[in-house]
Amino acid sequence: ESTLYLRETGYMPFYMRMGNALREIEDQYDIVVIDCPPQIGFLTLTALNTTTGIITTIQPSMYDVASMAQFLALMGNLVNAISEQGVEPPLDFMRYLITRYDNTDNNQQDITRFLRHQFGREVLKSEVLDSTLVTRAASEQRTIYEIEPRDQNRGTFKRAWSAFNAVQDELENMVQAAWKRGPIRGDL
């Protein structure tokens, strides 16, 4: 559709260019992850018109929930404006991932329950736990899997790895469902 738009008008809007470029090389990849900042800008608008799935991260605090609500309202307005131009985002799914979750914090538990009540199955079942391991990995620009276990408490490692593995498994299942094909690992 974007190639047709280009032929008819001689112009392709910026928000259609990434999707068009990716379609030209789609046989060379399985998944493309576009990590956008939590703001509406050229990259986010372009990604919205390219993506087949959105994972929105949310920290379980009232400030972050309010911020997410504003972002989603603004994003919805932009998608509607683009839809009025005849461009429909190819979205298969949108989910919310709770991050920096401290399961011992009553306020975070309450907010997490609220989010699950409001968005139901759109909220991933697994959460990314708040952990000193996550903080350390971020400061060293590594993944949690690259930090040596001897440097931290083994229990901290096991909890973090378990939480990240659960999120990864859930995301992989969503991708497989969107693809309507077998496991990713079977493709390797």
Side-chain angles (χ1 to χ4, degrees), residues 151-188:
D151 295 338
Q152 292 276 335
N153 175 310
R154 284 234 180 248
T156 299
F157 271 84
K158 286 182 180 182
R159 282 188 300 279
W161 285 339
S162 178
F164 272 81
N165 289 341
V167 169
Q168 176 185 326
D169 289 346
E170 201 168 346
L171 292 173
E172 185 177 320
N173 288 335
M174 286 174 18
V175 169
Q176 288 174 11
W179 282 348
K180 297 174 180 61
R181 69 180 207 191
I184 295 171
R185 288 186 180 101
D187 293 344
L188 298 176

Side-chain angles (χ1 to χ4, degrees), residues 100 128-144 147 152 156 160 164:
R100 295 189 178 177
V128 175
L129 299 180
D130 193 13
S131 165
T132 57
L133 178 61
V134 173
T135 303
R136 180 167 168 219
S139 71
E140 293 180 14
Q141 296 183 338
R142 298 169 144 194
T143 70
I144 64 163
I147 305 292
Q152 292 276 335
T156 299
F164 272 81

Side-chain angles (χ1 to χ4, degrees), residues 52-75:
T52 55
I54 296 175
I55 305 296
T56 300
T57 58
I58 178 73
Q59 294 180 35
S61 74
M62 286 312 293
Y63 174 79
D64 289 302
V65 170
S67 177
M68 181 189 71
Q70 286 181 319
F71 174 78
L72 291 175
L74 188 56
M75 185 174 73

Side-chain angles (χ1 to χ4, degrees), residues 1-13:
E1 74 195 55
S2 59
T3 306
L4 176 64
Y5 184 85
L6 178 62
R7 274 197 309 250
E8 290 177 355
T9 66
Y11 169 76
M12 182 178 295

Side-chain angles (χ1 to χ4, degrees), residues 45-139:
L45 189 55
T46 301
L48 285 172
N49 286 288
T50 303
T51 188
T52 55
I54 296 175
I55 305 296
T56 300
T57 58
I58 178 73
Q59 294 180 35
S61 74
M62 286 312 293
Y63 174 79
D64 289 302
V65 170
S67 177
M68 181 189 71
Q70 286 181 319
F71 174 78
L72 291 175
L74 188 56
M75 185 174 73
N77 290 338
L78 282 171
V79 169
N80 288 338
I82 291 169
S83 295
E84 289 174 5
Q85 301 300 314
V87 178
E88 292 294 326
L91 194 62
D92 288 330
F93 63 85
M94 180 169 177
R95 299 291 187 275
Y96 302 95
L97 172 60
I98 296 172
T99 62
R100 295 189 178 177
Y101 180 64
D102 178 355
N103 59 3
T104 65
D105 183 315
N106 289 333
N107 289 332
Q108 287 192 14
Q109 290 175 12
D110 289 343
I111 292 168
T112 298
R113 277 192 292 274
F114 168 77
L115 290 169
R116 291 188 188 290
H117 178 75
Q118 288 299 115
F119 296 108
R121 54 179 247 139
E122 304 302 311
V123 178
L124 272 65
K125 295 175 187 169
S126 306
E127 302 95 6
V128 175
L129 299 180
D130 193 13
S131 165
T132 57
L133 178 61
V134 173
T135 303
R136 180 167 168 219
S139 71

Side-chain angles (χ1 to χ4, degrees), residues 15-48:
Y15 54 82
M16 295 174 72
R17 293 178 187 157
M18 185 186 308
N20 191 56
L22 289 173
R23 276 188 293 284
E24 290 177 12
I25 60 167
E26 66 187 354
D27 61 331
Q28 298 175 31
Y29 64 86
D30 284 323
I31 297 173
V32 174
V33 176
I34 305 168
D35 185 8
C36 299
Q39 63 189 22
I40 299 295
F42 290 130
L43 178 60
T44 303
L45 189 55
T46 301
L48 285 172

